[in-house]
Amino acid sequence: MIPGEFQYFAPTTVDEAVSLLQQHGEDAKLLGGGHSLLPAMKLRLTTPAVLIDVTKISDIKGVSVNGSVTVGGGATYHAVASNDAVRSACGVLADCVAQIGDTQVRNRGTIGGSLAHADPAADLPAVALALGATITAQGPGGARTINADDMFVEMLTTALEPNEIITSVSFPRLGAGAGAAYEKMRQPASRYAIVGVAAYVKLGSDGNVAEARVAVTGAGPKATRQDATEAAITGTNGDDAAIAAATDKAGEDMDYLGDIHASEEYRRAMVKVYTKRALAKAIAQARG
Ligand SMILES: Cc1cc2nc3c(=O)[nH]c(=O)nc-3n(C[C@H](O)[C@H](O)[C@H](O)COP(=O)(O)OP(=O)(O)OC[C@H]3O[C@@H](n4cnc5c(N)ncnc54)[C@H](O)[C@@H]3O)c2cc1C
């Protein structure tokens, strides 16, 4: 299929991109790697009259590791997955993006595009939730930060305003006593998550789980924190029995989606299987 006609702009600064968004209003869409937007345009699911390509804005393509891991909204998955400093400071982030799609997708797809698109089967939203990432968005009024917990509103809908651009995303460094893992059942052709679970744990000085964050993607309309699982594992010694008890609570109070790849019932079952794997791996990592 051929997309509808559109005007193309390639700004080189964030200010220029924001001003183009303001100028063209609802007719305009930002273009990142194009791996979600262009297929949707070819299917005429969306027909923006104006595309504003953000991939020429060098300021939003960087990856830096200091007190935290800061990734530009325009950084590609490959730039993150291949960064040794990211792998050592926040291995789960590098692991997650290394599992997205194939080489072509990882070379073009961007961190900002993934979070802004909020595909129900996208991997990164679960990791952003489990790590408590902070998203920085710039609009006409300046920059603001959005906590990952507030970002994913419903299927393909986020807390971003239409005239905002994701300029960077900040993830924590995983220090001593912390561990995090992302485990997914992937759709064999696209590698989208049929079910994906990200888990983060922090151990206290007594060796017990002091803090836990668990998030599921792929199973329902949007990536979702697992409050009951988090509460069940917190305060325990994180042994097999504790993991099993916490896993038992996974997927409660969640909406499920069924499609040609997996039924709702199957996804419900897999949420527990992958929660167990992710929690066990995160706890083992936290113990060092
Ligand atoms: C064959 C194939 C396999 C895939 N497999 C996976 C997979 O296994 N896991 C997975 O998670 N994803 C997968 N994807 C999706 C891929 O990760 C996309 O790259 C991603 O969903 C969108 O990122 P993008 O940079 O391509 O954004 P685009 O497609 O360019 O844009 C998507 C949306 O985000 C907006 N946008 C883009 N950049 C910004 C920004 N900086 N600020 C604000 N809004 C922005 C656009 O306006 C648009 O609405 C796959 C895609 C394909 C084609």
Side-chain angles (χ1 to χ4, degrees), residues 21 28-40 46 48 51-55 57 60 72-77 96-97 99-102 104-106 108-125 135-138 151 156 158 160-168 182 184 186-187 189-193 217:
L21 278 173
K29 265 200 172 291
L30 296 174
L31 175 68
H35 270 123
S36 293
L37 181 56
L38 294 184
T46 180
L51 285 188
I52 303 164
D53 186 346
V54 300
T55 64
I57 306 175
I60 64 164
T76 61
Y77 303 130
C96 167
V97 295
Q99 294 179 51
I100 291 177
D102 51 27
Q104 288 91 334
V105 173
R106 291 193 293 275
R108 294 286 310 170
T110 63
I111 300 298
S114 174
L115 296 179
H117 190 58
D119 191 294
D123 297 294
L124 194 58
I135 296 128
T136 301
Q138 189 160 327
M151 180 69 176
L156 304 176
T158 68
L160 281 177
E161 295 296 335
N163 51 14
E164 284 182 321
I165 169 170
I166 296 178
T167 52
S168 68
Y182 178 64
K184 80 164 159 173
R186 61 188 200 191
Q187 202 279 328
S190 70
R191 315 240 167 113
Y192 273 111
T217 189

Side-chain angles (χ1 to χ4, degrees), residues 17-37:
V18 170
S19 129
L20 282 163
L21 278 173
Q22 260 191 300
Q23 203 178 315
H24 295 283
E26 287 183 2
D27 289 340
K29 265 200 172 291
L30 296 174
L31 175 68
H35 270 123
S36 293
L37 181 56

